[in-house]
Amino acid sequence: MNENHSLRFEGGTAMKEFVTEHQSPYLDLSAEVTEILYRGKSDFQDILVADTKEFGRMLVLDGVFQTSIKDEFIYHESIVHIPLFLHPNPKHVLIIGGGDGGAAREA
């Protein structure tokens, strides 16, 4: 278990599992986990995919929350809608990267 995924006790004897992103020495963000779907390590980063109570399915890379079912639209709408609204007649788009498909969905 890496330092960004922790178990702790709350409410007496009930054990709850959390994934935690350490923002600064004074701030941690934690989400309660219902199930760890994948935990592994690539040549480049630690990878965790978990279902959480608040955010749904969440991707965590090197202990940093990347995206989740509940909030991914905020990122994708921002990077797609603004440029499309500024163009007078968009007919074609080029998406470089976009591995999760969210930008393509919004375009």
Side-chain angles (χ1 to χ4, degrees):
M1 192 172 331
N2 73 36
E3 65 188 58
N4 295 305
H5 177 251
S6 56
L7 293 174
R8 67 179 186 240
F9 289 99
E10 283 189 4
T13 60
M15 184 181 292
K16 295 181 180 182
E17 193 170 10
F18 291 82
V19 60
T20 300
E21 177 181 332
H22 303 290
Q23 291 279 312
S24 76
Y26 313 104
L27 176 66
D28 287 344
L29 301 176
S30 294
E32 187 175 347
V33 171
T34 56
E35 182 180 4
I36 299 292
L37 301 170
Y38 177 81
R39 183 185 353 226
K41 186 170 180 68
S42 74
D43 291 339
F44 306 101
Q45 58 209 355
D46 290 319
I47 304 164
L48 178 71
V49 179
D51 280 337
T52 65
K53 287 187 174 184
E54 185 67 28
F55 292 103
R57 188 152 299 159
M58 177 182 280
L59 171 65
V60 182
L61 299 176
D62 289 333
V64 178
F65 298 171
Q66 299 296 310
T67 189
S68 73
I69 297 295
K70 188 172 182 178
D71 69 358
E72 60 81 25
F73 73 92
I74 298 166
Y75 173 78
H76 293 109
E77 286 181 3
S78 298
I79 66 169
V80 173
H81 291 186
I82 294 169
L84 288 179
F85 289 148
L86 292 174
H87 193 284
N89 189 18
K91 293 183 180 182
H92 303 282
V93 297
L94 171 65
I95 300 169
I96 299 172
D100 66 358
R105 180 194 66 228
E106 291 299 325

